[in-house]
């Protein structure tokens, strides 16, 4: 039965790159997504020995901490060794889920001191990411750090250096970088299927209170139950504010707003698909449209980023959009627009539509030709007909390409599998510290541009502000 299941899964994965491409050219049909996906699944099927077991600690057991732990434990050989959170109620919740014997603490350094913990998942407020990452690497732990990797651009350099020197695996948590749908889009762009890339439109809209981070605040929230004094060790001193603890993304003192939460998904995905090192100029603006709940970072925000030409792509313009009160009901879409078509990425599914210009230039119709004298029109028509054949005047047609990920496919699980495989085998992760910083820096610059009302200049090669 086990072999039958394995064969069935292999066959299914092969269909990812074959039948799921409803229309394709021969060059695209040979691209290797199915093989890569199969390799990841076959990793699950390997027998896990005691030497392969990875014991993890979770630092920050809020919404994302719950999701990350749930997914991490789906990877064979991964075991939970401890949880840290500042809110006492979440530690109680952890023991209810995993048993009273589970090690829990309010101090993340207690987890780092444990010799039975191999890796930590850092799922805290943004302002703590760099500090905990540096401490974890110094203690010899592998690190999975939620995005954005850093709260300030200046924090990125010591984190990258520490990751390099430590010899440990550091993966940043933008799961779309591990998506088989994004991998297919990357291959299509590289194969020239949309011609020369010139623009990217990226949108991540929502329309709900929870989507706008208005999470339920527990009735017992207080400076004592949330260890508030510990919480603000990474910030300027502030009086207790339950919103800043539980709705922290909305406040610049501890979070990075829509830029750090959602722009960064769009940026990391686009960088992966285009092989881009980042933009050279960044401008962003925003407003407070609906969720006027004390937040000091916008609920509607847009960015315009200019990417320079490099060896992998032409110069292109990127627009970013987040709308927390969108009448669309919410959407996440990236459109990669080239001279010969557009790739629309929606979740893990992609659609490529071609639009090719004719070889011959335009002539007649909505043109200045009809404004000339009749004799001139006739003379020029004769010249045009002699120079261009009917075939050269027609738009060429190429079939559309549609790629659909398998039902139940989970890029979050793929991202964690990549992380744990890297720990076991030493192979590179898909989103290391440098990749994470290249996405974080433009996202954080969007906030700086909004707050300062200035265009931010960035050197994408040296990774420094100009």
């Amino acid at each position: 039965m086990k072999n039958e299941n394995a064969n069935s899964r292999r066959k299914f994965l092969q269909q990812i790159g074959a039948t799921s491409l409803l229309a394709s050219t021969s060059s695209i049909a040979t691209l290797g997504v199915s093989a890569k996906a199969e390799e990841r699944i076959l990793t699950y099927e390997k027998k896990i020995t005691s030497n392969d077991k990875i014991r993890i600690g979770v630092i920050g057991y809020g919404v994302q901490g719950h999701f990350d732990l749930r997914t991490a434990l789906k990877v064979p050989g991964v075991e939970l060794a401890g949880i840290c959170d500042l809110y006492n109620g979440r530690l109680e919740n952890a023991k209810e889920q995993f048993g009273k014997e589970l090690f829990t603490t309010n101090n993340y350094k207690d987890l780092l001191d444990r010799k039975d913990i191999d890796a930590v998942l850092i799922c805290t407020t943004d302002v703590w990411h760099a500090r905990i990452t540096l401490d974890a690497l110094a203690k010899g732990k592998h690190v999975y750090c939620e995005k954005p990797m850093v709260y300030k651009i200046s924090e990125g350099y010591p984190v990258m250096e520490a990751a390099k020197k430590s010899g440990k695996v550091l993966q940043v948590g933008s799961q779309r970088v591990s998506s088989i749908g994004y991998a297919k889009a990357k291959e299509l762009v590289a194969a020239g299927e949309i011609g020369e890339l010139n623009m990217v439109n990226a949108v991540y809209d929502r329309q709900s209170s929870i989507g706008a981070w208005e999470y339920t605040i527990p009735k017992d929230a207080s400076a004592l139950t949330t260890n508030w004094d510990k919480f603000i060790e990474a910030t300027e001193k502030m009086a207790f504010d339950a919103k800043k603890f539980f709705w922290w993304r909305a406040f610049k003192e501890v979070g990075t707003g829509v830029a750090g939460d959602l722009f960064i998904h769009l940026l990391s995905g686009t960088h992966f698909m285009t092989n881009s090192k980042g933009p050279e100029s960044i401008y962003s603006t925003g407003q407070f449209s609906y969720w006027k709940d004390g937040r000091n970072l916008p609920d509607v925000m847009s960015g315009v980023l200019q990417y320079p030409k490099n060896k992998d792509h032409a110069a292109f313009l990127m627009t970013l959009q987040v709308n927390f009160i969108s009448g669309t009901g919410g959407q996440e879409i990236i459109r990669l627009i080239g001279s010969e078509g557009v790739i629309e990425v929606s979740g893990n599914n992609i659609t490529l539509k071609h639009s090719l210009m004719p070889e011959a230039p335009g002539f007649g119709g909505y043109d200045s030709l009809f404004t000339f004298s009749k004799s001139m029109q006739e003379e020029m028509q004769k010249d045009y007909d002699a120079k261009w054949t009917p075939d050269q005047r027609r738009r060429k047609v190429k079939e559309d390409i549609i790629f659909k990920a398998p039902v139940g496919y989970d890029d979050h699980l793929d991202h964690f599998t990549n992380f744990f495989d890297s720990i076991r085998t030493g192979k590179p992760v898909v989103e290391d510290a440098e990749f994470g910083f290249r996405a974080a820096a433009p996202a954080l610059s969007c906030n700086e541009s909004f707050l300062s009302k200035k265009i931010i200049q960035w050197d994408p090669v040296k990774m420094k502000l100009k």
Side-chain angles (χ1 to χ4, degrees):
M1 179 64 70
K2 184 177 180 180
N3 287 337
E4 289 180 7
N5 288 340
N7 290 334
S8 175
R9 294 170 88 178
R10 290 189 188 98
K11 183 178 180 182
F12 182 60
L13 284 161
Q14 288 165 358
Q15 294 173 344
I16 295 174
T19 57
S20 290
L21 283 172
L22 301 187
S24 176
T25 65
S26 59
S27 62
I28 299 302
T30 61
L31 295 172
V33 166
S34 60
K36 294 174 185 175
E38 181 174 345
E39 180 183 343
R40 290 197 288 265
I41 295 297
L42 292 180
T43 301
Y44 297 158
E45 296 172 353
K46 291 178 183 177
K47 184 177 180 180
I48 302 297
T49 68
S50 58
N51 292 332
D52 294 325
K53 290 189 182 300
I54 298 173
R55 291 175 60 79
I56 61 173
V58 179
I59 303 174
Y61 199 48
V63 176
Q64 195 61 43
H66 274 73
F67 288 148
D68 281 355
L69 177 59
R70 184 186 309 166
T71 301
L73 292 178
K74 291 179 181 178
V75 180
V78 176
E79 299 177 351
L80 176 63
I83 290 178
C84 169
D85 198 273
L86 294 179
Y87 172 50
N88 296 336
R90 285 182 176 148
L91 299 183
E92 184 179 348
N93 169 261
K95 288 184 178 292
E96 290 170 352
Q97 289 179 291
F98 300 103
K100 294 182 179 179
E101 296 76 23
L102 176 69
F103 178 77
T104 60
T105 179
N106 294 125
N107 187 345
Y108 73 87
K109 291 184 178 179
D110 293 339
L111 286 186
L112 301 184
D113 286 337
R114 290 182 66 100
K115 293 182 179 180
D116 63 338
I117 289 180
D118 305 299
V120 291
L121 315 185
I122 301 174
C123 314
T124 63
T125 55
D126 297 342
V127 74
W128 277 96
H129 284 183
R131 180 181 298 202
I132 299 175
T133 295
L134 291 172
D135 288 344
L137 292 172
K139 283 289 186 175
K141 309 301 183 187
H142 301 287
V143 172
Y144 182 100
C145 181
E146 268 302 332
K147 47 75 191 168
M149 184 182 80
V150 293
Y151 172 72
K152 297 178 181 177
I153 288 177
S154 60
E155 296 172 337
Y157 308 107
V159 169
M160 287 188 290
E161 185 64 22
K164 188 182 299 182
K165 287 184 176 180
S166 70
K168 296 299 176 181
V169 175
L170 188 157
Q171 169 124 311
V172 181
S174 298
Q175 69 268 19
R176 288 152 185 81
V177 176
S178 289
S179 164
I180 58 173
Y182 280 60
K184 179 57 71 178
K186 181 185 183 80
E187 291 173 341
L188 293 169
V189 170
E193 278 294 308
I194 59 170
E196 198 170 75
L197 181 70
N198 55 59
M199 193 164 197
V200 176
N201 302 137
V203 176
Y204 205 142
D205 289 347
R206 292 174 173 174
Q207 191 190 33
S208 71
S209 58
I210 291 177
W213 312 315
E214 286 194 350
Y215 302 127
T216 300
I217 296 175
K219 294 171 68 175
D220 66 347
S222 70
L224 185 63
T225 61
T226 60
N227 286 266
W228 181 257
D229 287 341
K230 180 70 176 177
F231 180 74
I232 60 173
E233 280 184 12
T235 71
E236 295 181 1
K237 298 300 180 184
M238 299 181 288
F240 172 72
D241 186 333
K243 287 183 179 180
K244 285 180 180 171
F245 188 92
F246 291 98
W247 299 1
W248 54 269
R249 290 192 189 280
F251 298 93
K252 61 185 179 183
E253 295 83 358
V254 287
T256 54
V258 301
D261 185 26
L262 302 177
F263 276 8
I264 200 161
H265 275 309
L266 304 173
L267 287 161
S268 58
T270 298
H271 289 183
F272 173 75
M273 291 185 286
T274 63
N275 272 345
S276 177
K277 293 185 179 298
E280 60 184 359
S281 68
I282 302 147
Y283 177 74
S284 185
T285 188
Q287 63 189 32
F288 299 87
S289 293
Y290 186 86
W291 305 105
K292 299 175 182 179
D293 46 20
R295 68 182 63 212
N296 52 27
L297 290 171
D299 57 357
V300 174
M301 196 169 185
S302 272
V304 179
L305 293 74
Q306 180 65 57
Y307 283 72
K309 179 180 180 180
N310 67 20
K311 65 180 180 61
D312 292 306
H313 61 71
F316 68 89
L317 189 69
M318 183 177 190
T319 63
L320 296 167
Q321 172 188 312
V322 170
N323 184 346
F324 273 179
I325 190 62
S326 173
T328 64
Q331 57 183 335
E332 180 189 353
I333 295 173
I334 298 178
R335 293 183 180 90
L336 305 162
I337 302 167
S339 57
E340 297 181 359
V342 57
I343 296 173
E344 183 170 291
V345 183
S346 179
N348 293 300
N349 302 324
I350 69 169
T351 301
L352 190 159
K353 293 185 179 295
H354 294 99
S355 180
L356 283 73
M357 292 177 65
E359 182 182 352
F363 187 77
Y366 192 81
D367 182 18
S368 58
L369 179 68
F370 76 95
T371 68
F372 305 160
S373 68
K374 186 175 181 181
S375 61
M376 180 61 73
Q377 291 183 48
E378 290 172 349
E379 181 182 345
M380 296 188 73
Q381 182 71 60
K382 185 177 179 180
D383 292 343
Y384 184 82
D385 292 344
K387 185 174 183 179
W388 303 104
T389 67
D391 186 57
Q392 289 175 310
R393 301 176 213 170
R394 284 192 289 268
R395 285 181 177 268
K396 289 182 173 59
V397 176
K398 288 179 70 174
E399 290 185 285
D400 296 341
I401 295 174
I402 298 174
F403 174 91
K404 292 187 177 180
V407 175
Y409 173 73
D410 186 354
D411 55 8
H412 199 215
L413 178 57
D414 251 357
H415 207 51
F416 269 104
T417 302
N418 180 284
F419 173 58
F420 293 122
D421 280 354
S422 294
I423 293 174
R424 289 173 174 142
T425 68
K427 70 178 184 180
V429 289
V430 295
E431 190 175 9
D432 61 11
E434 182 177 313
F435 188 105
F437 184 59
R438 288 186 181 281
L444 299 175
S445 294
C446 283
N447 277 339
E448 177 59 27
S449 177
F450 163 74
L451 294 168
S452 67
K453 309 298 182 188
K454 295 179 181 178
I455 297 173
I456 307 301
Q457 303 296 335
W458 175 252
D459 186 327
V461 177
K462 296 180 180 178
M463 294 184 287
K464 293 185 179 295
L465 292 165
K466 293 180 181 179

